[in-house]
């Protein structure tokens, strides 16, 4: 049995998959293990996830990793955990779940968003957090619970996020990190809770639910005996609480390497667009949208705008094609269809259609917030075929990325792309031309887990600073810059104003459709008080599908 301690483990508990990844101290990925995630949905907009099952899946992923790496337990010098952001994971006495988590996809808090956005205190809250209100966030969800089902909060002792829950199970410590605590309940400048924010949310009487804030790049806690027994790791191993998965992925992919004008976009199930700036250089937009999320670097934050759905739009259109083929007895896999995307793009004309990629049932959150927003095609004619629809959807993602960067100031000079969709040359070309920026792709396979592991590397002293760690783990893996195609830039420059005009004009239409559905802007906040999710269980996307899209 090997006795050297030369491995860091990064855990990334995403919406689709829980992953455990082993790295050596120089940042090389050694092995990866994953377990499919599951969550439930309901007709009332609910999206919930079992806390107990999530921990069981995390422990299973760590045990699987141990089967792949000889002597993993004794070789591991640190563990770090990150996970899906936002959401509300309530824990009661004896660290027992107080119910299923409301995850970031849950749309039930839309009435609370409208109520809080209309309050006189909203602008002060936004100036402190730098973050617009949306249904994903724990603060809004707690406010909605407090108004409609307070018994959920009455039986809870602490409100955590996904990664915080796993940290509790790993170490026995109830805590959250500076990123989620400050963009939800605090001030990004102080990285601490802020009374102005908590009062604006109407949650001062629930403040006891907020846990201590721990910076995992500076502080670790030992792996508990109980967690060691379940995971196969060694009790006492230092465990670091990572920041939220958005910034961990961006950190691992190159959002901050010291290069001016660089930004990072993650094109996965959701779309995340961010740039690293000094905390004194943050540009807060008049619309009050986006996020400001702390980085594990003193004085540095990320400005963020997020599309609720990115490749979920592509998944939907590919399922439409696959379902039609199945009607004729032709079976196709998701990966078969994904491989055809670049070919379909080549068969279609750029800018022929408009598509707004708001396919999520939770609407949109960046660069505007509207729970009623929905996807659409504009400009269809009898001449258009399936490849035209594919191109329109991909171009919609490019337009949405531009929309998000425009809300944060000037377009970036370079975008570091991550997420499975970055493997598509056609998609990279669309995003590059839509933003006018060159793009680079990191060869880092698991950027989120790597970002978390980097925090552990600094916390245990393997590196003196995060900048030193970035120089070893991130910069060498950035690929060659790909310049945008000039003709495509011209096409998308002329298309973008129509994209913006159409989405602004559709706001009342979305509201009318929501009223027709009997939901959205007419939903009574009391209607679903205390109602449990009755929707079907969604089997999470398998690992190959996730990497393909």
């Amino acid at each position: 049995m090997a006795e050297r301690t030369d491995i860091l483990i990064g855990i990334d508990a995403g919406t689709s998959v829980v992953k455990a990844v082993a790295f050596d101290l120089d940042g090389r990925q050694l092995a990866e293990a994953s377990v499919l995630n599951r969550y439930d949905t309901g007709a009332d907009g609910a999206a919930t996830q079992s806390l107990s099952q999530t921990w069981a899946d995390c422990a299973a992923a760590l045990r699987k990793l141990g089967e792949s790496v000889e002597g993993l337990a004794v070789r591991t010098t640190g563990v770090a955990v990150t996970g899906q952001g936002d959401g509300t994971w309530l824990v009661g006495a004896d660290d027992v779940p107080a119910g299923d988590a409301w995850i970031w996809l849950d749309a039930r808090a839309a009435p609370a968003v409208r109520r809080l956005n209309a309050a006189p205190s909203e602008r002060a809250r936004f100036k402190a957090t730098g973050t617009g209100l949306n249904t994903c966030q724990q603060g809004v969800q707690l406010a909605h619970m407090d108004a409609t089902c307070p018994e959920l909060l009455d039986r809870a002792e602490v409100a955590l996020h996904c990664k915080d829950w796993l940290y509790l199970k790993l170490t026995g410590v109830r805590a959250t990190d500076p990123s989620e605590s400050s963009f939800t309940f605090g001030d990004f400048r102080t990285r601490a809770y802020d009374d102005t924010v908590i009062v604006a949310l109407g949650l001062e009487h629930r403040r006891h639910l907020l846990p201590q804030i721990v910076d995992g790049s500076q502080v670790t806690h030992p792996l508990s005996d109980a967690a060691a027994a379940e995971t196969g790791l060694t009790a006492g191993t230092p465990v670091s609480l990572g920041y939220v998965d958005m910034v961990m992925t961006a950190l691992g992919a190159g959002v901050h390497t010291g290069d001016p004008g660089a930004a990072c976009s993650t094109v996965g199930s959701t779309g995340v667009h961010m740039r690293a700036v000094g905390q004194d250089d943050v540009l807060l937009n008049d619309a009050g949208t986006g996020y400001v999320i702390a980085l594990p670097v003193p004085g540095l934050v990320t400005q963020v705008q997020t599309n609720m759905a990115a490749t979920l739009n592509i998944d939907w259109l590919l399922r439409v094609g696959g379902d039609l083929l199945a009607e004729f007895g032709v079976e196709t896999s998701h990966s078969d269809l994904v491989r055809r995307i670049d070919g379909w793009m080549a068969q279609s004309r750029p800018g022929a259609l408009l598509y707004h990629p708001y396919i999520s049932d939770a609407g949109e959150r960046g660069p505007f917030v509207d729970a009623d927003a929905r996807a659409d095609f504009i400009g269809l004619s009898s001449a258009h075929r399936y490849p035209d629809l594919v191109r329109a959807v991909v171009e919609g993602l490019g337009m949405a990325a531009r929309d998000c960067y425009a809300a944060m100031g000037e377009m970036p000079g370079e975008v570091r792309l991550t997420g499975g969709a970055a493997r598509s040359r056609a998609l990279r070309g669309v995003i590059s031309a839509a933003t006018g920026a060159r793009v680079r792709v990191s060869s880092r396979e698991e950027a989120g887990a790597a970002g978390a592991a980097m925090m552990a590397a600094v916390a245990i002293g393997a590196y003196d600073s995060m900048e030193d760690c970035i120089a070893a783990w991130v910069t060498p893996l950035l690929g060659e810059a790909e310049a945008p195609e000039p003709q495509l830039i011209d096409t998308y420059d002329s298309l973008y104003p129509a994209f913006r005009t159409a989405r602004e004009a559709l706001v009342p239409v979305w509201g009318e459709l929501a009223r027709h559905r009997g939901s959205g802007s007419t939903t009574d906040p009391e209607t679903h008080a205390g109602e449990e999710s009755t929707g079907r269980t969604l089997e999470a996307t398998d690992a190959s599908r996730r990497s393909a899209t």
Side-chain angles (χ1 to χ4, degrees), residues 15 44 95 98 114 118 154 247 249 260 299 307 321 330 342 454 470:
T15 308
D44 60 345
D95 293 338
R114 285 187 285 271
D154 291 342
V247 291
T249 298
N307 307 126
V330 179
D342 283 10
M454 289 167 66
I470 289 169

Side-chain angles (χ1 to χ4, degrees), residues 121-482:
S121 57
E122 166 50 21
R123 191 64 189 177
R125 187 210 61 81
F126 178 67
K127 286 182 178 179
T129 63
T131 299
L133 295 173
N134 62 66
T135 58
C136 305
Q137 293 164 359
Q138 185 179 107
V140 173
Q141 291 181 356
L142 287 177
H144 184 68
M145 291 176 184
D146 194 53
T148 62
C149 46
E151 66 279 2
L152 290 179
L153 303 184
D154 291 342
R155 64 174 179 256
E157 291 185 356
V158 66
L160 303 175
H161 300 91
C162 178
K163 61 175 172 37
D164 307 336
W165 161 246
L166 296 179
Y167 193 72
L168 171 60
K169 295 300 292 183
L170 289 164
T171 66
V173 176
R174 295 177 174 182
T176 192
D177 78 288
S179 67
E180 291 208 269
S181 59
S182 60
F183 77 66
T184 305
F185 298 110
D187 189 314
F188 64 83
R189 303 161 191 85
T190 64
R191 305 192 180 199
Y193 293 130
D194 187 280
D195 289 340
T196 299
V197 175
I198 296 169
V199 170
L201 292 169
L203 293 173
E204 56 269 36
H205 61 297
R206 300 290 188 181
R207 185 171 182 145
H208 65 280
L209 294 176
L210 305 184
Q212 64 175 312
I213 300 171
V214 170
D215 189 329
S217 66
Q218 302 174 22
V219 176
T220 65
H221 291 99
L223 187 75
S224 69
D225 292 340
E230 291 192 65
T231 63
L233 299 176
T234 302
T237 301
V239 183
S240 169
L241 177 58
Y243 284 23
V244 65
D245 63 348
M246 285 193 288
V247 291
M248 292 294 89
T249 298
L251 184 70
V255 72
H256 171 56
T257 54
D259 301 312
C264 182
S265 285
T266 300
V267 187
S269 297
T270 189
V272 182
H273 313 285
M274 58 180 68
R275 60 192 350 149
V277 298
Q279 64 185 35
D280 297 328
D281 299 321
V282 169
L283 174 64
L284 297 178
N285 61 64
D286 292 337
T289 65
Y291 290 69
V292 175
I293 309 180
L295 277 169
V297 179
L300 204 64
V301 299
T302 52
Q303 278 202 259
V304 187
Q305 289 282 346
T306 60
N307 307 126
M308 191 73 77
T311 59
L312 293 178
N313 292 272
I314 298 174
D315 291 346
W316 163 76
L317 186 59
L318 296 184
R319 280 198 299 271
V320 170
D323 290 347
L324 182 60
L325 290 172
E327 290 287 330
F328 292 92
V330 179
E331 294 299 324
T332 57
S333 69
H334 184 81
S335 57
D336 289 337
L337 295 170
V338 166
R339 282 191 288 269
R340 292 182 175 271
I341 289 176
D342 283 10
W344 283 324
M345 293 282 288
Q347 298 172 36
S348 54
R349 181 169 63 86
L353 292 171
L354 276 178
Y355 176 78
H356 292 103
Y358 313 139
I359 203 72
S360 170
D361 288 344
E364 187 51 277
R365 60 179 174 177
F368 65 97
V369 176
D370 192 334
D372 296 336
R374 292 297 182 269
D376 58 73
F377 288 102
I378 298 177
L380 283 167
S381 76
S382 60
H384 289 122
R385 295 294 183 266
Y386 194 74
D388 300 301
L389 302 184
V390 172
R391 172 173 279 279
V393 170
V394 173
E395 289 180 338
L397 300 185
M399 291 291 105
R402 176 171 177 155
D403 218 12
C404 284
Y405 280 118
M408 295 186 282
E410 297 180 355
M411 289 296 109
E414 180 173 295
V415 175
R416 280 81 187 265
L417 284 178
T418 185
R423 299 181 181 183
S424 166
R425 177 172 290 276
L427 185 139
R428 295 199 305 270
V430 166
I431 291 181
S432 179
T435 59
R438 60 189 178 272
V439 298
R440 297 175 77 182
V441 179
S442 172
S443 59
R444 171 69 69 196
E445 294 179 30
E446 299 296 343
M454 289 167 66
M455 289 190 60
V458 175
I460 65 172
Y463 292 88
D464 291 335
S465 68
M466 186 58 69
E467 281 80 3
D468 290 342
C469 191
I470 289 169
W473 283 54
V474 178
T475 305
L477 298 184
L478 290 174
E480 292 296 322
E482 301 174 25

Side-chain angles (χ1 to χ4, degrees), residues 494-506:
S494 64
L495 186 67
Y496 178 67
F499 178 90
R500 279 287 301 265
T501 299
R503 69 119 159 128
E504 290 166 357
L506 283 167

